[in-house]
Structure formats: C-alpha cells, structure tokens
Amino acid sequence: MVMFTPGISIFATISAIFVFVFGIIGNLLTITALLKYHKLRKHPTTAFVLSLSISDLFFCAVNMPLTAIRFHNQKWTLGDDLCKVFPVFFYGNVAVSVLSMVGLTINRYTLILHPSRYSKIYTPLSLCLQLFMIWAFSFGIMLLPLFEIWGRLGLDEETFSCTILKKNDTSPKKFIFLFGVLVPCIIISISYSCIFCTVHKQRAKLKAHSSNSSSRIESFFRSKEDCRLTLTLLTIYVCFLVCFFPLMIANVIDDDGSYANLHVFASVLAWMSAVINPLIYAIGSQNYRHAYTKLLSELCFWKTNVELRSFDEVNKSRTVDHL
C-alpha cells in the first residue's frame, strides 16, 4: 500500500480544498454570467462553454472534497457507495470537458471555414442534441462498470483510490481513455490547425486586396474578433493538455505507484484545470470580461469610483457585435 509523507498529504489536502473553493466560485460566476446576459447567451458557442463550466463545477463540488478527506486520512473512509460515485463523476466530467472542447472547436471550424452553413447547422435543436450526446456518452459509458457489465468500480487498496477496476480481467478504462480523451484531442488538434491555416490565408488576401469599402473593413474586424475568441478557446485546450499530460505520463511510466510524490504533484496539476478556465475567459475575451464585471458589480462585491457602463452599452459601442 502506498503511503505518503505528512508533508505531501497536507499539500494534496490543501490543494484539493483550494480547487474546491475557487473552482466552485469561478465556474458559478461563469455560468451565471453566461445565462444572465442575452448578448452572450444567444451565441451557439456559449452552449459548449456552459457545458464545460458545468462539468468543472461538478468536478470541484463532488470530487474535490472527497479527495481532500482521502488524502487527509491517507485511506478511504467514506464507504462503498461513495467509492462508486467518485469515479463516475471523475471520469464522466473529464470526458464531458474534452468532448465540450471538441464541440467548441467544431463550432469555430464551421464559423470560420464554412460561414454560410453556420446558422443552418447550429440551430437550437441541433445544439440540444449535441450537448445531450456529449453528456449521455460521457456518463453513459460509466454505467457499464457501475453495474459491473464491463469492469467494476471500487477501491484500489494499493493507492487507496476509488477507480475503475478489472472484472474478468477486462475494464473499459482504455476505451474511455481512447474515445473520451485521445481521439477527441486528435480531432481538436487537426481542427485548430485547419482554422489557423485558413485565417492566415484570409489575412494575406485582405492585405493583398485592401479596399476602403465598408464590407472589407467589416470582414476584417469580424475575422479579427473570431480569431480572438478562437485563440481563447485554443488556450483552454492547451492548458487542459498541460494539466493532464503529466498525470497521463506518470500513470504510464509508474503504473505501480513506486513514485508516490510524482503522482500527487501530477494529480494536483490536473485538478487545477477546473479552476483556470474562468480566468482564461476573463483575460482572453472582452465580452466575457464585461459580463463578469457587470455581474460582480451587481452583487456588490466591490465599489468603484469609475462608473461602469452597462453590458449592452459596451456591446453597442463596439464596431462589431459578434463572437
């Protein structure tokens, strides 16, 4: 059985509490801001951002307090039922996060490469179907080990972690990794490569055929605004990879848990992915930043001497009101 030093246990416990508190605050603010303001809520992109934020919120609210207790006690003391709930939410929410990023990427891909088809593809009905499929697949696959149809859920005595275990020498763990993480990441990488190649070509054409007509100027600014949001979403994807890649490597090169400290640091980095997304939205997107500012000012979290313009006024004053 793996035993952590007191210092490592305290570090992991404090980190889990930190992610629990700030992850809930940040993702709740994001969800509320997106639902509250019509200018953001009406865009199809927002549906996938909401899906990502909700999955991060569930991860922080369910998995992190259980993880903090686990590391504090250095054993699982919460019973068999919670030991089965833990991996359902852990693996399910990770899959939802990745597949929501796939949805965001394909949304950007369609908007930039096939703008004439965008409004026909992203109707309210199609958005609901896409989101349903994301959540149904992510949590539906976890029903197989939950009901011991394929593998089982339980406690790994060596690492005192609740995870997917083998039953009859098989489990869906590799399948979930392949179709819930690896394949989506490949799709995202290829899509973003196509997006930025197209954007580069469009900018080259605009420079080569510059014109003073309003349509040219509008096209330029619209492309610029689309690129800004696309870059923000790409940053979220890259940060997700940076956060989870060390944990994947640790599980591959040290699957028997010989280097316990390595696994702890890699796990803490993976947890942080649920906290950083709201910060990326606020830094990378002006519309999201205004939504956060307006929401916080209405909640009276702080007072400022500078009069804040309303969210609608800010968007009306912009040259292009488009995500």
Side-chain angles (χ1 to χ4, degrees):
M1 181 176 178
V2 176
M3 292 298 294
F4 300 107
T5 63
I8 291 297
S9 296
I10 293 173
F11 169 73
T13 302
I14 294 175
S15 298
I17 295 172
F18 174 88
V19 174
F20 167 70
V21 173
F22 289 96
I24 288 179
I25 293 173
N27 287 292
L28 270 180
L29 285 175
T30 301
I31 294 168
T32 305
L34 295 181
L35 292 176
K36 187 175 178 62
Y37 297 106
H38 179 70
K39 292 290 185 180
L40 288 177
R41 192 173 66 242
K42 69 177 184 178
H43 291 289
T45 305
T46 301
F48 296 105
V49 175
L50 275 172
S51 177
L52 181 59
S53 299
I54 291 171
S55 69
D56 286 343
L57 178 64
F58 283 162
F59 179 82
C60 295
V62 176
N63 291 97
M64 286 299 95
L66 300 180
T67 300
I69 295 172
R70 169 194 163 215
F71 274 102
H72 176 72
N73 296 327
Q74 290 213 38
K75 61 181 179 179
W76 186 263
T77 60
L78 301 172
D80 293 337
D81 291 338
L82 277 179
C83 193
K84 293 181 179 180
V85 170
F86 183 90
V88 169
F89 275 88
F90 181 87
Y91 290 101
N93 283 314
V94 170
V96 169
S97 296
V98 178
L99 294 178
S100 296
M101 291 180 203
V102 172
L104 283 167
T105 305
I106 295 176
N107 176 273
R108 296 288 93 193
Y109 178 91
T110 305
L111 178 63
I112 296 176
L113 275 71
H114 305 285
S116 61
R117 303 177 186 175
Y118 185 79
S119 59
K120 297 178 181 179
I121 295 176
Y122 287 96
T123 63
L125 178 59
S126 70
L127 277 173
C128 290
L129 288 175
Q130 289 178 59
L131 293 175
F132 174 78
M133 290 171 61
I134 287 173
W135 285 81
F137 173 81
S138 300
F139 282 91
I141 193 66
M142 292 304 301
L143 295 179
L144 299 178
L146 179 63
F147 292 106
E148 299 190 4
I149 299 172
W150 187 9
R152 63 186 179 89
L153 302 179
L155 179 66
D156 183 349
E157 298 290 347
E158 288 297 317
T159 60
F160 59 89
S161 62
C162 296
T163 184
I164 300 174
L165 303 175
K166 289 184 178 181
K167 181 183 180 182
N168 299 326
D169 293 326
T170 63
S171 82
K173 207 167 186 178
K174 291 183 179 179
F175 176 86
I176 293 173
F177 173 75
L178 180 63
F179 290 98
V181 179
L182 185 59
V183 171
C185 286
I186 293 173
I187 294 173
I188 293 173
S189 300
I190 294 173
S191 298
Y192 273 122
S193 298
C194 294
I195 287 172
F196 284 103
C197 285
T198 301
V199 169
H200 178 74
K201 291 178 181 178
Q202 288 178 348
R203 286 183 171 178
K205 289 181 179 179
L206 283 173
K207 290 180 180 180
H209 304 285
S210 60
S211 172
N212 292 327
S213 66
S214 59
S215 61
R216 288 286 186 181
I217 296 174
E218 182 180 353
S219 176
F220 173 78
F221 279 105
R222 181 165 297 176
S223 176
K224 184 178 180 180
E225 192 63 28
D226 285 337
C227 288
R228 183 179 299 170
L229 180 59
T230 302
L231 185 60
T232 299
L233 300 177
L234 174 61
T235 303
I236 290 172
Y237 168 61
V238 171
C239 288
F240 176 86
L241 289 182
V242 170
C243 288
F244 274 90
F245 191 70
L247 183 60
M248 295 177 188
I249 294 298
N251 288 331
V252 171
I253 66 176
D254 185 36
D255 57 353
D256 60 353
S258 300
Y259 299 93
N261 292 351
L262 174 64
H263 285 268
V264 171
F265 284 110
S267 296
V268 170
L269 187 60
W271 304 341
M272 291 297 172
S273 66
V275 178
I276 61 177
N277 286 345
L279 298 176
I280 298 173
Y281 298 141
I283 295 172
S285 172
Q286 187 172 0
N287 282 339
Y288 282 50
R289 193 160 54 247
H290 285 306
Y292 286 134
T293 303
K294 180 65 176 177
L295 177 63
L296 290 175
S297 65
E298 289 179 356
L299 293 175
C300 300
F301 280 161
W302 67 70
K303 298 292 183 181
T304 177
N305 294 326
V306 180
E307 184 178 357
L308 294 173
R309 292 185 297 172
S310 69
F311 183 79
D312 290 335
E313 289 174 343
V314 170
N315 280 275
K316 288 177 182 179
S317 67
R318 292 168 62 84
T319 305
V320 177
D321 179 19
H322 185 70
L323 280 174

